[in-house]
Amino acid sequence: YAMLLSLIFLIVLVAAVVGFVFRHEIKTNFESNLNLALRDYNVTADRHSEAVDTIQRTLHCCGVQNYSDWERTEYFTQRGIPQSCCKSQDDCSEEDLKDPSKAKLKVFVDGCFFLVTSTMESKMSVVAGISFGIACFQLVGIILACCLSQYITNNQYEMV
């Protein structure tokens, strides 16, 4: 049991170190995937388009760096900026969303990449604290399992 807990502890430790070391690559990968999701965004509700809509509605953002990222997409030429960028769904018409100067007043202007990464970094301390607490419990479990094993081994030949 102590060996199993030690193995799990080492896996979690390695995952944390790898995540910390490669955090810049993770950000770069996320940004490129978000750009791809914008480029391939369409009206049919595929999971990438739904993810972009959810991010934009939840974090009140639009595009990768800002709302003008949508101007370089095929979706913009057909329908304008998506409705998920609108500050108020009642106040956004398709004509407004096709004109970037009018859309600037009706949509969120901040990009999603900065908001997502800053949200993740702000929550990182909570995740690290919880992970540290779990690791402490695992270490206590390992120590207690070793003590129990030692106790059983020492008392193996006693008369009952």
Side-chain angles (χ1 to χ4, degrees):
Y1 181 70
M3 296 286 281
L4 180 66
L5 275 179
S6 299
L7 181 68
I8 293 170
F9 177 76
L10 288 175
I11 290 171
V12 170
L13 185 66
V14 167
V17 169
V18 167
F20 182 75
V21 169
F22 293 111
R23 68 185 181 278
H24 299 295
E25 286 82 1
I26 293 169
K27 280 184 181 181
T28 305
N29 194 10
F30 175 71
E31 185 176 18
S32 64
N33 284 330
L34 192 55
N35 278 317
L36 283 173
L38 256 65
R39 190 191 73 202
D40 297 337
Y41 185 89
N42 58 28
V43 182
T44 60
D46 68 334
R47 59 190 177 101
H48 296 288
S49 299
E50 286 179 16
V52 170
D53 285 337
T54 302
I55 289 171
Q56 291 182 151
R57 279 192 196 103
T58 305
L59 295 178
H60 304 293
C61 59
C62 189
V64 178
Q65 300 301 327
N66 58 35
Y67 76 100
S68 63
D69 292 336
W70 283 104
E71 295 176 35
R72 297 183 295 274
T73 64
E74 186 179 322
Y75 181 84
F76 181 82
T77 58
Q78 298 170 357
R79 312 261 324 251
I81 297 174
Q83 288 283 332
S84 60
C85 284
C86 292
K87 293 177 185 176
S88 170
Q89 296 297 322
D90 302 331
D91 193 25
C92 270
S93 66
E94 195 168 317
E95 295 80 33
D96 291 340
L97 294 174
K98 285 184 177 181
D99 182 10
S101 60
K102 288 182 184 176
K104 183 177 184 177
L105 303 171
K106 308 250 181 188
V107 299
F108 303 113
V109 292
D110 296 329
C112 294
F113 175 71
F114 175 74
L115 288 174
V116 168
T117 55
S118 64
T119 301
M120 286 173 48
E121 287 172 357
S122 70
K123 304 293 184 203
M124 210 46 83
S125 61
V126 173
V127 171
I130 291 171
S131 299
F132 182 73
I134 291 171
C136 287
F137 279 117
Q138 283 180 325
L139 288 175
V140 168
I142 292 168
I143 292 168
L144 290 176
C146 289
C147 290
L148 180 62
S149 172
Q150 187 66 32
Y151 179 75
I152 290 172
T153 305
N154 287 342
N155 295 325
Q156 186 175 7
Y157 297 108
E158 286 186 13
M159 295 288 280
V160 181

